[in-house]
Amino acid sequence: LNSTAFSHPPYFLLTGIPGLEEEQFWIAFPFCIMYGITLLGNVTLLLIIKTEPSLHEPMFLFVALLAFTDLVLSTSALPKMLSIFWLGSGEIGFSSCLAQMFFIHSFSSVESGVLAAMALDRFVAICCPLRHSSILSVPVVVALVSLVLLRGVVLVSPTCFLLHQRHFCQRHIIAHSYCEYMALVNVACGDSRLDVIYGFFVAFLVTGTDLVLISASYARILRVVTRLPSREAQLKAFSTCTSHICVILAFYTPLLFAAVGHCFKHSIPPHVHIIVANLYLLLPPTLNPIVYGMRTKKLWDRVVIL
């Protein structure tokens, strides 16, 4: 056999949304609008938090990291996705594909970790309000942020190494609109059990750990809030969490649906799975600045001044 038949292809061909090749030209328009809102909203959030000294506290530093993560996540996928939908330009180089996959998956892990850190911040703010600044001091916040970033890089880097070792024969067409890890594993030759096991291990480790931390934080918050003496105090305490709860739902709902889609891929039409996978990268970055901008008084006041 020719040795070049079992090597890395010079490029992959991303098909977009399988089964909706005709419709995806029009699907791109709402995606483009969402990306515009993402850029405008998250850049505005970052500028407000950077320039306003009163916002230099743990909650808003986590919001800033969330905004930065959303910009990286959406920008890693959307420009290429729009070029596929509008120009039919599905070619992506092998190294570019691995780089796109690395940024998408590592920053998805970062986003999940930031949501867990924000739940911890809400827990400390409501359950230990007098000790909030001493427990979540600047060094602690920096350590948490560093840990979240490091976790994403350390856990996702091996996926690039694993795929780099794989042979792809003549199969270089990916039925997806971006370079997703499992989509790449599916077009590789030979036994892919190790790759699949590692992919699921990382997904369950990250989302499992973070969802347990978020659930534990909110269980404690709920216990404290229900013991507050007045209804007004209860509502005020819980209203500080509503933005975060909305953001959690926007991030984890499509993520969990996409994960279930991989487990039952024969039961879910491919185009439904791909659209949900796209929304997973688009919906949270679009909604997060709107939710935090409108629901957080300090931020909304600054937006109104602008």
Side-chain angles (χ1 to χ4, degrees):
L1 285 172
N2 187 346
S3 62
T4 57
F6 293 92
S7 61
H8 300 150
Y11 64 87
F12 287 112
L13 191 65
L14 293 161
T15 62
I17 306 172
L20 294 178
E21 285 82 5
E22 297 295 317
E23 293 85 353
Q24 64 190 21
F25 178 86
W26 302 106
I27 292 169
F29 285 96
F31 280 14
C32 185
I33 292 165
M34 290 169 83
Y35 185 51
I37 295 167
T38 294
L39 292 178
L40 180 66
N42 287 295
V43 168
T44 304
L45 268 188
L46 285 169
L47 288 173
I48 290 171
I49 292 167
K50 184 179 184 293
T51 55
E52 181 54 54
S54 70
L55 299 177
H56 295 172
E57 55 186 68
M59 178 187 166
F60 295 108
L61 293 176
F62 289 135
V63 170
L65 181 58
L66 196 67
F68 173 74
T69 304
D70 284 339
L71 286 170
V72 174
L73 257 182
S74 53
T75 303
S76 297
L78 253 293
K80 182 62 188 173
M81 204 185 288
L82 293 175
S83 76
I84 297 167
F85 294 170
W86 279 336
L87 308 174
S89 171
E91 285 189 13
I92 183 168
F94 181 79
S95 299
S96 301
C97 192
L98 286 191
Q100 186 190 53
M101 185 200 76
F102 172 79
F103 278 105
I104 287 171
H105 289 298
S106 57
F107 276 88
S108 291
S109 168
V110 170
E111 177 131 359
S112 183
V114 173
L115 292 176
M118 292 169 92
L120 178 67
D121 173 66
R122 292 299 83 209
F123 162 69
V124 175
I126 289 170
C127 302
C128 320
L130 300 178
R131 294 169 55 209
H132 182 259
S133 56
S134 59
I135 294 172
L136 283 178
S137 59
V138 172
V140 171
V141 171
V142 169
L144 275 173
V145 168
S146 304
L147 194 65
V148 163
L149 289 167
L150 189 66
R151 182 186 70 168
V153 171
V154 167
L155 287 177
V156 175
S157 294
T159 62
C160 298
F161 175 77
L162 284 168
L163 285 170
H164 207 272
Q165 303 307 304
R166 297 305 301 273
H167 300 302
F168 290 87
C169 312
Q170 297 300 318
R171 297 156 64 191
H172 63 273
I173 296 174
I174 301 172
H176 211 299
S177 44
Y178 60 86
C179 291
E180 188 206 39
Y181 177 65
M182 293 303 288
L184 279 165
V185 169
N186 288 338
V187 297
C189 304
D191 187 0
S192 60
R193 277 178 297 181
L194 177 63
D195 309 66
V196 172
I197 289 166
Y198 185 74
F200 277 110
F201 164 73
V202 171
F204 283 116
L205 181 67
V206 170
T207 53
T209 306
D210 294 341
L211 281 172
V212 166
L213 284 169
I214 290 166
S215 303
S217 296
Y218 275 101
R220 292 293 301 274
I221 287 169
L222 205 58
R223 280 178 62 191
V224 170
V225 169
T226 52
R227 290 174 183 171
L228 289 173
S230 70
R231 180 86 173 150
E232 190 183 341
Q234 289 176 350
L235 289 171
K236 188 179 178 184
F238 209 71
S239 70
T240 64
C241 302
T242 51
S243 303
H244 187 235
I245 292 168
C246 291
V247 167
I248 287 169
L249 291 172
F251 178 76
Y252 284 108
T253 304
L255 171 63
L256 293 173
F257 185 91
V260 169
H262 280 302
C263 298
F264 303 99
K265 57 185 174 187
H266 300 298
S267 308
I268 298 170
H271 66 273
V272 174
H273 176 75
I274 303 302
I275 287 173
V276 171
N278 292 344
L279 287 176
Y280 160 64
L281 294 184
L282 265 174
L283 201 59
T286 306
L287 291 178
N288 291 353
I290 296 169
V291 169
Y292 275 106
M294 294 182 73
R295 288 285 313 161
T296 311
K297 190 177 185 302
K298 277 188 178 180
L299 279 173
W300 182 243
D301 289 347
R302 295 300 302 167
V303 171
V304 170
I305 290 168
L306 290 175

